[in-house]
Amino acid sequence: MFRLVLALSWLRLVSSSSWSALNDSLDGSLFSARPLALPCFSSFNNTPVHPDPSACALLQQNYSNATYKSSLYPNTMQPEWGTCMTTHSQCLLDYTDPTNPLAFLDASCDQGSISPYYIDVRSPQDVLTAFSFANATGIPLSIKNSGHDYKGRSNIPSSLALWTRNLNSMTYNASFVPEGCPSSQSYNTITTGAGNNFQDLYAFADQNNVTLIGGYAQTVGASGGWVMGGGHSVLSPVYGLGIDRVLQFLVVTPSGLTLTANSCQNTDLFWALRGGGGGTFGVVLESTHRVEGRLSMQVASLSMNATSTNMRAYYEILVNNSMQWASEGWGGHIVDSAINYVTPLLSLAEAQASMEPIASYVTSQGGSVVIETMDSWYDYFEKYVVPTQESVARLLAIGSRLMPQSVFISPTLSSQLVDLLLTFPLVYIPVVGPVLYNETAANETSATPAWRDSLWHVNTGLMWYFNTSTADVNANFGLVHNYTLAMTEIAPDSGAYLNEGDVYQSDHETAFWGDNYSELLSIKQKYDPWGLLDCWQCVGWKGHSNKDFECYFPSP
Ligand SMILES: Cc1cc2nc3c(=O)[nH]c(=O)nc-3n(C[C@H](O)[C@H](O)[C@H](O)COP(=O)(O)OP(=O)(O)OC[C@H]3O[C@@H](n4cnc5c(N)ncnc54)[C@H](O)[C@@H]3O)c2cc1C
Ligand SMILES: *[C@@H]1O[C@H](CO)[C@@H](O)[C@H](O)[C@H]1NC(C)=O
Ligand SMILES: *[C@@H]1O[C@H](CO)[C@@H](O)[C@H](O)[C@H]1NC(C)=O
Ligand SMILES: *[C@@H]1O[C@H](CO)[C@@H](O)[C@H](O)[C@H]1NC(C)=O
Ligand SMILES: *[C@@H]1O[C@H](CO)[C@@H](O)[C@H](O)[C@H]1NC(C)=O
Ligand SMILES: *[C@@H]1O[C@H](CO)[C@@H](O)[C@H](O)[C@H]1NC(C)=O
Ligand SMILES: *[C@@H]1O[C@H](CO)[C@@H](O)[C@H](O)[C@H]1NC(C)=O
Ligand SMILES: *[C@@H]1O[C@H](CO)[C@@H](O)[C@H](O)[C@H]1NC(C)=O
Ligand SMILES: *[C@@H]1O[C@H](CO)[C@@H](O)[C@H](O)[C@H]1NC(C)=O
Ligand SMILES: *[C@@H]1O[C@H](CO)[C@@H](O)[C@H](O)[C@H]1NC(C)=O
Ligand SMILES: *[C@@H]1O[C@H](CO)[C@@H](O)[C@H](O)[C@H]1NC(C)=O
Ligand SMILES: *[C@@H]1O[C@H](CO)[C@@H](O)[C@H](O)[C@H]1NC(C)=O
Ligand SMILES: *[C@@H]1O[C@H](CO)[C@@H](O)[C@H](O)[C@H]1NC(C)=O
């Protein structure tokens, strides 16, 4: 409650006439936002309101539908980030059954961390107007594209939000030259507005008979947090990370400039945007990515029923074979007792021989094994990724560590890793380290160099419910933090992926950026001299005690 009162009094400092003046100067692209589930409730911020049963029913039907949710500003794919966890200020349905009336009858819907106002960004001028407004009023800014962020970085309570989802241009250019570069530097590319997500781009690339290397989700954006934080793909072992493949950004910086950043101009900013993280150096309006030709690839999709007795051998086989598989171009995901791996480098017969150790084990356990050729990335995506999309309504906290090759070479560390995986509440391992990729030097990007040597990006996580107590939610973050520390003990000199990391990551500067942090900080200060952009554990973060971060727990 205290938090809410504070938020409201803060907003009152800016009178409604200034908001309408802001709207006028934006040609009407300022909107107010309320929690998505509000139509189900009869109390909002402790004031009676009329529920809207038909709007509530639509939301209930689409509560886990990422396509639906990504078209709406208030969405956060992990709904806890739209709440204020420390004050239990929330507006949640029961994701296990969105029609469960216990979630919304006799319960109040609160604004939580959802910005009361957002700008539907359409031009550089919209962003410049927001920067001046924030600078003059002290109102914090936040930036959101898809709302997928696992650490809540696309929401700041009481902020003026910049929503980039409707920047939707896409162009294919087989001979793109980054602006200001010599014409000999010509690339096969797709340039995309900041609002397009992977579903849009994979379809567009397919129509142009090329392959865009991107994430394992329909609605993650290609130009926002994904690419600025690292950007992994199951094809990254062969074709690199998002930060390796991006050639140019169009970005509006808080210093008031609209800049094209690439390897020939504004190179410091380009380097910072290639791994320094979203929401930090400016608002990206457009990005250009190198594409590959149409790819045929081998897919290995295996799953078995997990029992306490068969998982040790399963993980041992995965760990023991990983160096060999990495040399053959395999990347993929391990999700508990299922794996989905791809390689563009082997024939079908080679793929079958390569996967034999795990295929025969899974078969022996009564599981299912499919190894087949897909003629394009798009066919693969439609067949394997779309139907198994991660649910986007769960209240979920994750933590992770990049596991370097040294762990897989050492029998001692390998067995420690298996022991640890067996204790996890859930296992999610993107096998995405860019181990065969050598076209971008590590120092051209600013994410932790630990990526370059890593085979696995090991995650665990915990889920809870709409009615879990504040103390228990806090304890879940604490347990995930502790699992992250246990992973860190196995690979103390490695790092972590900032987009899929422990929310309460210890020594986050070193974990996410290694030795690059101090240079990133000076670039941050150059392009954001008045500190208009900030987010949790981002470069130049003002710190936990800043009032923008009151909804994060005092400690995990
Ligand atoms: C279901 C799911 C699947 C995922 N799959 C993958 C995967 O396959 N590979 C992978 O690497 N990661 C994956 N992720 C993690 C993903 O990279 C992060 O969630 C990432 O932050 C998403 O970026 P976004 O811009 O789409 O999301 P948002 O939450 O909108 O933004 C994330 C961050 O970027 C900033 N930002 C967004 N747009 C802009 C912009 N235009 N300019 C400046 N800053 C901006 C925001 O302020 C925020 O800090 C997945 C996440 C989920 C929930
Ligand atoms: C801003 O103006 C547009 C167009 O007049 C209007 O639709 C919108 O509701 C206004 N936004 C706010 C927050 O009042
Ligand atoms: C919500 O989901 C239902 C059924 O799943 C679908 O028919 C409907 O079109 C969806 N509504 C919106 C607004 O997307
Ligand atoms: C999800 O939402 C999209 C967009 O609103 C809609 O087209 C689609 O039908 C929905 N899917 C389901 C399964 O309801
Ligand atoms: C922000 O305010 C400072 C003075 O406090 C001023 O010098 C600067 O020009 C302002 N920047 C923007 C983008 O408005
Ligand atoms: C492709 O890029 C080149 C060089 O940057 C430019 O001259 C050309 O007009 C672009 N073509 C298209 C179709 O945009
Ligand atoms: C698509 O690309 C593939 C591989 O590069 C090529 O063999 C094929 O002819 C192309 N198809 C079309 C329609 O251009
Ligand atoms: C797992 O077990 C369930 C029920 O025991 C069965 O329906 C399912 O097919 C099994 N899955 C696999 C992959 O063997
Ligand atoms: C994995 O390798 C270790 C030695 O490094 C060995 O002890 C173990 O038996 C192997 N496990 C399997 C299932 O092959
Ligand atoms: C880069 O990798 C390719 C393919 O694996 C290999 O042929 C090439 O020799 C490597 N180049 C360098 C400079 O290591
Ligand atoms: C990366 O390192 C190489 C050689 O070590 C150097 O020539 C190059 O300038 C560096 N690039 C950047 C962006 O620092
Ligand atoms: C939360 O709600 C579920 C389902 O409505 C109920 O079974 C459970 O007991 C509730 N838990 C708490 C802590 O109230
Ligand atoms: C995490 O580990 C610390 C240190 O061992 C312990 O004090 C704390 O209780 C643990 N947190 C949770 C939530 O279990």
Side-chain angles (χ1 to χ4, degrees), residues 61-62 65 67-68:
Q61 287 161 22
N62 292 285
N65 181 339
T67 309
Y68 173 73

XYZ file of all heavy atoms in Angstrom, residues 61-62 65 67-68, ligand 4:
58
model
N -9.359 -16.836 -22.039
C -9.056 -17.788 -23.121
C -7.642 -17.601 -23.662
O -7.080 -18.512 -24.253
C -10.036 -17.592 -24.278
C -11.441 -18.104 -23.994
C -12.467 -17.478 -24.941
O -12.113 -16.997 -26.019
N -13.723 -17.479 -24.535
N -7.106 -16.407 -23.527
C -5.812 -16.109 -24.152
C -4.717 -15.800 -23.128
O -3.706 -15.204 -23.463
C -5.972 -14.921 -25.115
C -6.824 -15.305 -26.308
O -6.361 -15.996 -27.192
N -8.077 -14.863 -26.322
N -1.481 -17.066 -24.235
C -1.256 -16.913 -25.672
C -0.271 -15.760 -25.926
O -0.622 -14.587 -25.858
C -2.614 -16.647 -26.339
C -2.524 -16.483 -27.837
O -1.464 -16.186 -28.383
N -3.641 -16.663 -28.508
N 1.153 -14.695 -28.612
C 0.873 -13.841 -29.770
C -0.131 -12.756 -29.385
O 0.041 -11.574 -29.696
C 0.305 -14.687 -30.920
O 1.171 -15.791 -31.130
C 0.175 -13.878 -32.186
N -1.159 -13.180 -28.685
C -2.164 -12.233 -28.213
C -1.529 -11.213 -27.259
O -1.674 -10.001 -27.428
C -3.283 -13.005 -27.509
C -4.306 -12.133 -26.834
C -5.234 -11.417 -27.579
C -4.327 -12.022 -25.444
C -6.168 -10.602 -26.956
C -5.267 -11.216 -24.816
C -6.180 -10.512 -25.576
O -7.094 -9.715 -24.959
C -3.683 -16.342 -29.963
O -3.864 -14.982 -30.267
C -3.813 -14.706 -31.642
C -3.839 -13.195 -31.809
O -4.844 -12.617 -31.067
C -4.966 -15.397 -32.331
O -4.910 -15.141 -33.726
C -4.859 -16.888 -32.095
O -5.984 -17.532 -32.614
C -4.785 -17.171 -30.606
N -4.496 -18.589 -30.417
C -5.282 -19.374 -29.713
C -4.844 -20.800 -29.584
O -6.296 -18.972 -29.199
